[in-house]
Amino acid sequence: MIERNVTLHMDEEVAVVTLNRPAKRNAIDEATLAALDAVFSALPREAKAVVLTGAGPHFCAGLDLKEHHDKERTAVDFMRVCQRWHSTFDKIQYGGIPVVAALHGAVVGGGLELAAATHVRVADPSTYFALPEGQKGIFTGGGATVRVARIITPGRMVEMMLTGRVLDARAGKTLGLAHEIAAPGESLRAAMVLAKRVAKNAALSNYAMVTSISRIADMSATDGMFAESLMAAVVQTGGEVQTRLGAFVDKSLAKVTPEQVAG
Ligand code: 1HE
């Protein structure tokens, strides 16, 4: 499937979605956002996980600043732009299919907002994170005040924006913006390994993880416990439970061991 500026191909059970506007550092203009939306609205049925990556030297440079400059949008125009970003990124975060980001180079502004909508983030050492909006006289609008703030804390996000601080891959990992640092140039390969592992989980368990945990964090403790019990009631009685737990009972299922510990 090829939309303008976004491509999709299948690698076994993993859908590989690539921002493909490298000459503009994968900046997100209206066409690219519409393409992302189209891809995440209609993932192939056989996709059990997604890897999201960017072509060229950077993952994503955020909002297309030239388009914004040229369009001279009104406040209402830009509110609608933000709402389209929110709706598309919600499809990524809550679509029910785990999304692994393969990061490299700039993950800045709206590029960081996009990465924050994914569930697992693999960086390579070239990766750097920033929210440089303030220096350009603008503000985040693609969900960072919610998603990035929840990952790094609101206070840390305020500091990052005020100072224009740029975080390298290691600092990003300390704050939870990345979960793993791959060897140079290897973030896509490492993300594929993780995505193929994720794809082996029961689809309904993955659905529960990506749709319920962040939402339950927004609820009161009482509501969260109730929502968790409902989700677990659906998952624990799902189609794959008898087979997978049968494998535990007959001791053919792999055990959890300390050898699996990873940095
Ligand atoms: C762009 C954009 C863009 C590059 N919009 N065209 N985002 C930013 O503030 C990031 C702004 N961009 C940069 O700081 C740098 O371009 C990069 C660090 C990302 C890459 O640097 P580099 O040296 O590899 O490339 P370059 O030479 O700066 O850019 C190559 C081309 O991409 C050039 O176009 P050309 O026609 O002159 O070749 C750049 O203009 C173009 N380009 N980034 C448009 N962002 C919903 S609200 C979200 C809020 C935000 O995301 S604010 C944006 C934050």
Side-chain angles (χ1 to χ4, degrees):
M1 179 180 191
I2 300 183
E3 294 281 340
R4 191 170 145 206
N5 303 334
V6 179
T7 65
L8 180 150
H9 73 271
M10 292 300 296
D11 181 337
E12 299 176 10
E13 297 174 312
V14 177
V16 182
V17 177
T18 306
L19 293 170
N20 193 20
R21 204 185 173 214
K24 299 294 177 187
R25 304 320 187 225
N26 300 321
I28 301 176
D29 61 359
E30 292 189 2
T32 304
L33 188 77
L36 260 181
D37 193 82
V39 165
F40 278 95
S41 299
L43 288 170
R45 285 186 70 84
E46 62 273 26
K48 299 272 176 36
V50 175
V51 164
L52 176 64
T53 188
H58 301 284
F59 174 71
C60 177
L63 175 70
D64 189 309
L65 296 168
K66 181 168 187 312
E67 181 184 68
H68 185 62
H69 182 258
D70 291 349
K71 285 202 166 213
E72 298 187 26
R73 294 168 169 129
T74 65
V76 170
D77 289 340
F78 201 69
M79 193 159 170
R80 292 201 172 114
V81 168
C82 292
Q83 287 167 340
R84 285 197 291 275
W85 280 52
H86 296 164
S87 145
T88 298
F89 291 7
D90 275 356
K91 285 178 187 167
I92 295 172
Q93 183 171 9
Y94 295 119
I97 309 282
V99 182
V100 181
L103 306 176
H104 64 286
V107 182
V108 299
L112 178 52
E113 296 180 298
L114 173 60
T118 68
H119 308 104
V120 180
R121 293 175 289 278
V122 181
D124 84 353
S126 72
T127 307
Y128 57 99
F129 303 97
L131 292 169
E133 282 84 348
Q135 291 71 45
K136 300 187 171 71
I138 53 177
F139 189 58
T140 60
T145 57
V146 175
R147 292 193 177 95
V148 176
R150 282 181 190 183
I151 295 169
I152 70 174
T153 76
R156 195 64 213 247
M157 180 177 159
V158 173
E159 186 274 344
M160 193 172 166
M161 291 196 75
L162 287 174
T163 61
R165 195 182 294 281
V166 177
L167 304 173
D168 66 9
R170 190 186 295 265
K173 183 171 179 240
T174 303
L175 287 175
L177 295 175
H179 301 111
E180 180 175 316
I181 301 181
E186 293 289 313
S187 60
L188 179 56
R189 192 196 55 76
M192 288 303 300
V193 169
L194 284 183
K196 285 180 182 178
R197 189 195 301 170
V198 167
K200 296 291 175 228
N201 296 335
L204 193 54
S205 296
N206 279 343
Y207 180 89
M209 291 176 223
V210 300
T211 61
S212 71
I213 295 173
S214 295
R215 284 201 175 99
I216 288 173
D218 290 339
M219 297 178 189
S220 68
T222 312
D223 290 344
M225 296 298 185
F226 184 69
E228 184 191 65
S229 68
L230 282 176
M231 193 75 247
V234 173
V235 177
Q236 258 76 313
T237 53
E240 289 189 50
V241 169
Q242 286 307 319
T243 318
R244 289 187 182 236
L245 292 191
F248 175 78
V249 171
D250 71 21
K251 300 195 187 300
S252 63
L253 190 72
K255 290 186 185 179
V256 182
T257 63
E259 287 72 40
Q260 296 162 354
V261 170

